[in-house]
Amino acid sequence: MPGADPAADSFAGADIAAGSLAISAIGSTLSIGDASISLDVTGGAGGLGARGGNGSGGNISIASDAASVLTLNDVVFSADGTGGQAGAAAPDSNGPDGGTGAGGRIILTALGDLTINSMFARARGQGGDGSQGAFSRIGGTGGLGQGGAAELEFSAAPANAVTLGSVSLDSSATGGAGGQGGSGNISVNGVAGGTGGAALAGTTRLRVTGDGANVAFDPLIFTLSSAATGGSGGRGGANFDGGIAGRGGDGGSGTGGEIALEAGSGAVLTLEGPSGSTFVFQVTGTGGAGGAGGNIDMINGGTAGDGGNGGEGTGGSPTLRAVGGRIVAPDLHLLATGFGGAGGAGGIGGDEGTVVLGATGNGGLGRGGTPLLQTLDGSPGVLALGTVLIDASGIGGGGTITGSTAGGQITITDASADPAGLISMGSLTVTALGAATAAGTPSLTVSGDSGPITVTGDVNADVGGSINLAFGNNGQFAVGGSTTLNAAGNISVSHANNTTGVLSLDTGTDLIATAGGNFVAGAGSIINAGRDLSITAQNIQFASLSAVRDLLLLANNGSITGVGSALLAG
C-alpha cells in the first residue's frame, strides 16, 4: 500500500497489562489508612511510523466477610488504562494510531462492619493520541478508551456498624485525539486530520444487602460516574502556498456505560435528592468534537479546510435493580441522554488580506441510551416509586448542519417470579425521541409475568420507535389514571398463558394509543379502559377491547381485524 511502512509493526509501542491485587479479611480486622493503591498502566509509545501500545489497568479486590471489620480511611484505588502515544509518522506515511486504553476492575465487598472516611475507586480508559501525518498524509486515528468496572457492595444489616463519608466510583472513558493532517503546497493539497478515538464507558455499581438494612442514598456522599467522551478529530493539514488545506478529522463516538443501584435480599435503598428533592440519575455519552480545518496564508490565499464532523454520542444505562430487596424513590428522573459532538471550526486564512474561512463541520448524531427498571427474585424484589420521568432522547451536536437525533431503548421489567415482587409508580412519563430512530427499535418495553406493574396516576409515553407491552400468566400493566401512548413505529400487546382472563392493559380512565405503524394486540391479550378508548394506526389487530363509554378505532391505511375477539363499548 502506498505510504505504508512494512517495518512499522516492529516499532509498535509495547502492550502492557497490570497485574492483580486481592486482599481478604476472614473473621478479622482490616484497616487501610491514608493510601493510594494504583494498578494504572500506560501502553508504550510507538516508534517511528508505529502505533502506540495498548494499556490495560489491573484488578483490585478487597473483601471482608460478615465476621470482619473493614476500615478505609482516605483511600484511592486506581486501575486506569491509558493507550500509548503514536510514534511520529515515517516519511511519506500516514500518521500512526494511538493505542487502546482499557480500565481494569475494582471490586469492593464488605459483609460485616464498614467504615469509609473517603474512598475513590476509578477504573477509567483513555485512548492514546494519533500522530500527525507526513507531508500530504492523513493524521493517525485516536485510540479507543474502554472503561472498566468500579463496584461497591456492602451489608447494612442492623447487626453491622456502617459509617460512610464520601464514596466515588468511576468507570468513565475518553477516546484519544486524532493526529493532525499533513500539510500541502500549491500543487499538493493538505489532507484530513485523523479521526478521534471511540470511547466506551464501563460499569459502575453500588449494591446494598443485608436483611433489615435501610440505607438512604445521599448524593452528597456517593458520586457515581460512567460517562464517555469520544476523542476530538485532528486538525486538517495547512497549506500556506496558495493551495487547498485539509479538512478536520471527524470526532470519535462516545457511548455511556452502566450505573446500577441495587438492593439485595431484605435491604431497603431509598433514593432522594438533597433536602428530599428529585433524585436525578443520569448517564451520558458525548461524541468527540470535529477537528478544525487546515489554515491557509493570509496573503497567498487558497482554500481553507472545512471543519470535521462531530462524533456520535450515545447515552448510557441508568439502572435500578431490586434483587430481592426494595428500592424506594418518591420523585425519580432517569436520564440517558446522548450528545452529538460539535462540528469543527473551519480553517482560517485570507487572500491579499481578505479573510477566507472554511466551513464549520456538521454536528454529530445524538442517540438516547438504555435506562432499566428491573426486579429480580430474592425475597422478593420491589420497586416502590412515586413520580417517574425517564428520558432516553438524543441531542444533536451543533454545526453547519445540526446533528440528527435518535431515541434509545427504555425497559421496565418485573422478572421476579414471586407474586410479591412488584413495580409500582405514582405516575410515569417516558420520552425517547429522535427523527433518526431506526424502524423497529423497541423504544419502550414493559414486561412481566407475575403480578401487576402498577401506576396509580397517569402514563404518558412518546417515543420515536415502537412500544412493546409483553406479559405472561397473571402479569399486567394496571394504570389508575389515563394512558397515552404515542409511537412513531408500532404498538404491540402480547399476553402468553392468559388462562384466567387477566387484563393485560387496564386503564382507569382514557386510553389513547397512536402508532405511526401498526397496532397489534395478539391472542390472549385483553385491553380495557374505564372511560374512553381510542386507537389510531396504519392497521389494527386486537383480541379483546373494552371501554365503559366510547371506543374509536381508526386504521389510516389498512384494516381493522379482530382475532377470536371481543369488542365492547358502553
Side-chain angles (χ1 to χ4, degrees):
M1 181 176 66
D5 180 358
D9 283 348
S10 62
F11 297 104
D15 296 334
I16 305 174
S20 298
L21 170 67
I23 302 174
S24 297
I26 301 175
S28 60
T29 297
L30 173 61
S31 179
I32 301 178
D34 298 346
S36 177
I37 298 176
S38 175
L39 291 180
D40 295 344
V41 159
T42 299
L48 181 66
R51 66 168 179 85
N54 302 325
S56 301
N59 299 313
I60 298 173
S61 173
I62 308 292
S64 61
D65 68 4
S68 296
V69 176
L70 175 62
T71 300
L72 304 176
N73 191 19
D74 293 301
V75 182
V76 176
F77 298 109
S78 189
D80 291 344
T82 302
Q85 168 70 45
D92 196 31
S93 296
N94 296 336
D97 301 337
T100 294
R105 295 178 60 84
I106 301 175
I107 311 297
L108 308 171
T109 306
L111 302 182
D113 293 352
L114 172 66
T115 298
I116 297 177
N117 181 32
S118 72
M119 182 192 74
F120 293 86
R122 57 199 189 207
R124 303 168 299 188
Q126 167 69 62
D129 294 341
S131 286
Q132 180 174 347
F135 178 79
S136 195
R137 294 293 178 180
I138 297 170
T141 300
L144 168 69
Q146 168 76 65
E151 304 182 8
L152 170 63
E153 176 179 342
F154 65 93
S155 172
N160 294 337
V162 176
T163 303
L164 301 175
S166 63
V167 175
S168 175
L169 306 174
D170 191 354
S171 61
S172 298
T174 306
Q180 182 172 328
S183 60
N185 57 28
I186 189 63
S187 57
V188 178
N189 296 343
V191 295
T195 301
L200 184 62
T203 300
T204 294
R205 185 172 72 102
L206 176 69
R207 183 173 187 179
V208 178
T209 63
D211 193 16
N214 198 330
V215 174
F217 183 101
D218 186 343
L220 300 179
I221 292 177
F222 296 100
T223 303
L224 310 180
S225 180
S226 190
T229 304
S232 58
R235 174 180 284 276
N239 195 319
F240 295 119
D241 293 335
I244 299 173
R247 71 180 295 272
D250 294 338
S253 63
T255 302
E258 179 188 54
I259 300 180
L261 299 178
E262 299 181 355
S265 294
V268 177
L269 177 61
T270 300
L271 309 177
E272 289 185 331
S275 303
S277 61
T278 300
F279 184 81
V280 179
F281 190 18
Q282 178 170 256
V283 190
T284 62
T286 304
N295 294 333
I296 58 175
D297 187 74
M298 288 295 297
I299 302 300
N300 293 328
T303 302
D306 296 339
N309 298 330
E312 179 176 326
T314 301
S317 300
T319 298
L320 298 187
R321 183 178 290 120
V323 190
R326 175 185 291 265
I327 296 179
V328 179
D331 193 354
L332 174 69
H333 288 185
L334 260 64
L335 307 178
T337 309
F339 297 93
I348 301 173
D351 188 353
E352 296 185 356
T354 300
V355 175
V356 175
L357 301 176
T360 299
N362 297 331
L365 171 70
R367 184 187 305 278
T370 53
L372 173 64
L373 299 178
Q374 182 181 45
T375 61
L376 296 170
D377 278 326
S379 69
V382 174
L383 294 178
L385 312 175
T387 302
V388 177
L389 183 150
I390 307 176
D391 192 342
S393 300
I395 298 176
T400 296
I401 299 175
T402 300
S404 56
T405 59
Q409 300 181 33
I410 297 167
T411 303
I412 301 172
T413 181
D414 178 5
S416 176
D418 190 324
L422 302 172
I423 298 175
S424 64
M425 292 169 271
S427 66
L428 174 64
T429 301
V430 167
T431 306
L433 295 175
T437 305
T441 297
S443 296
L444 172 63
T445 298
V446 181
S447 65
D449 61 4
S450 178
I453 294 174
T454 303
V455 179
T456 57
D458 297 337
V459 170
N460 292 280
D462 194 4
V463 303
S466 297
I467 295 175
N468 180 27
L469 309 180
F471 304 103
N473 302 309
N474 66 340
Q476 66 172 161
F477 196 21
V479 181
S482 64
T483 301
T484 303
L485 306 177
N486 293 317
N490 301 321
I491 297 176
S492 64
V493 183
S494 63
H495 203 140
N497 302 317
N498 190 5
T499 58
T500 59
V502 174
L503 300 178
S504 313
L505 174 57
D506 185 17
T507 297
T509 58
D510 299 331
L511 168 60
I512 302 172
T514 305
N518 299 321
F519 181 96
V520 179
S525 66
I526 303 174
I527 299 174
N528 175 69
R531 198 161 58 189
D532 299 333
L533 189 157
S534 171
I535 299 173
T536 303
Q538 296 299 308
N539 295 280
I540 298 173
Q541 176 182 311
F542 65 91
S544 177
L545 302 176
S546 61
V548 171
R549 296 194 318 194
D550 296 336
L551 194 157
L552 173 64
L553 304 181
L554 176 60
N556 289 323
N557 193 33
S559 61
I560 298 175
T561 307
V563 182
S565 61
L567 184 62
L568 301 173

